């Protein structure tokens, strides 16, 4: 079951501040006073030079800009902590962990049953690498495969390319190396 986390009050406050700040900014820029050039005592208007902001307008724009930026940073930090909290909950929630363990055990058992038919269509290096990852419960760093066998890094890499082409394994980037997963 997928849990959708509710938004905390601080995140809702940050969203409200962001919307209000953007509304103030848009309003200030739309309602700016046009600057006009006047010549002589009769104030004859010759042309427009652009837009003029009063000190009050400039202060509102500055405050709104800081509020929009601060609330954006708060929302982005909240999104990072929410994703890590969800991951932590999945790791610490016994029922979520148990269902994950059960499904992975079922998958590994099914993979072991398939092993007889799969092994017939693999070369010796492919069989060796596949069996090694299978014995490691379907997940093994690529560097471990190199360390545990007499195969070179290049040979292991080519062998994994072949297993990936046959949709039997997949490499995921993990730090400076790869983790091999059975598919």
């Amino acid at each position: 079951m997928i849990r959708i986390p509710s938004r905390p009050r601080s995140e809702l406050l940050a969203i409200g501040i962001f919307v209000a700040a953007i509304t103030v900014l848009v309003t200030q820029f739309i309602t700016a006073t046009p600057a006009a050039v006047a010549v002589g005592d009769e104030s004859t208007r010759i042309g427009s030079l652009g837009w003029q902001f009063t000190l009050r307008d400039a202060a509102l724009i500055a405050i709104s800009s800081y509020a929009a930026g601060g609330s954006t940073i708060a929302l982005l930090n909240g999104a990072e902590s929410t994703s890590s909290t969800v991951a932590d909950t999945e790791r610490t929630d016994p029922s979520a962990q148990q269902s994950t363990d059960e499904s992975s055990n079922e998958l590994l058992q099914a993979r072991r049953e398939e092993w007889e038919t799969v092994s017939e269509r693999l070369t010796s290096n492919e069989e060796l690498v596949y069996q090694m990852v299978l014995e490691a419960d379907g997940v093994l760093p690529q560097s471990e495969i190199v360390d545990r066998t007499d195969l070179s890094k290049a040979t292991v890499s080519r062998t994994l390319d072949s297993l990936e082409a046959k949709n039997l394994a997949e490499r995921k980037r993990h730090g400076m190396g790869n983790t091999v997963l059975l598919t």
Side-chain angles (χ1 to χ4, degrees):
M1 182 167 107
I2 297 174
R3 295 182 186 171
I4 300 173
S6 61
R7 296 199 184 273
R9 288 185 182 176
S10 60
E11 192 171 329
L12 293 174
L13 179 64
I15 291 170
I17 291 172
F18 179 78
V19 170
I22 296 300
T23 303
V24 169
L25 283 171
V26 169
T27 303
Q28 287 300 312
F29 284 116
I30 288 175
T31 61
T33 308
V37 175
V39 178
D41 293 333
E42 298 176 16
S43 299
T44 305
R45 185 174 175 183
I46 295 179
S48 178
L49 293 176
W51 299 98
Q52 172 182 337
F53 294 101
T54 64
L55 183 58
R56 178 184 165 276
D57 294 337
L60 277 172
I61 290 170
I63 292 168
S64 296
S65 297
Y66 282 114
S71 62
T72 301
I73 290 170
L75 287 171
L76 291 175
N77 285 339
E80 285 179 13
S81 66
T82 300
S83 64
S84 67
T85 302
V86 169
D88 290 342
T89 301
E90 289 175 354
R91 272 185 260 146
T92 58
D93 184 8
S95 63
Q97 186 66 35
Q98 184 178 6
S99 66
T100 303
D101 289 345
E102 288 173 3
S103 63
S104 63
N105 286 339
E106 290 171 7
L107 180 64
L108 282 171
Q109 186 60 33
R111 183 59 76 180
R112 287 185 176 110
E113 291 170 4
E114 282 181 14
W115 172 241
E116 293 301 320
T117 56
V118 170
S119 65
E120 294 172 3
R121 59 184 181 147
L122 298 177
T123 65
S124 61
N125 287 347
E126 291 172 342
E127 186 175 354
L128 175 68
V129 170
Y130 187 90
Q131 180 67 31
M132 187 171 294
V133 177
L134 184 64
E135 288 172 359
D137 293 333
V139 180
L140 190 66
Q142 186 171 340
S143 60
E144 288 284 322
I145 298 170
V146 174
D147 292 342
R148 293 182 187 181
T149 63
D150 292 332
L151 303 175
S152 68
K153 289 181 182 180
T155 302
V156 169
S157 182
R158 283 192 303 273
T159 302
L160 289 171
D161 288 341
S162 177
L163 288 172
E164 283 180 320
K166 294 177 181 179
N167 290 325
L168 296 173
E170 178 182 5
R171 281 179 279 196
K172 295 280 185 182
R173 195 80 179 142
H174 188 80
M176 297 294 290
N178 292 324
T179 299
V180 179
L181 308 162
L182 297 182
T183 56

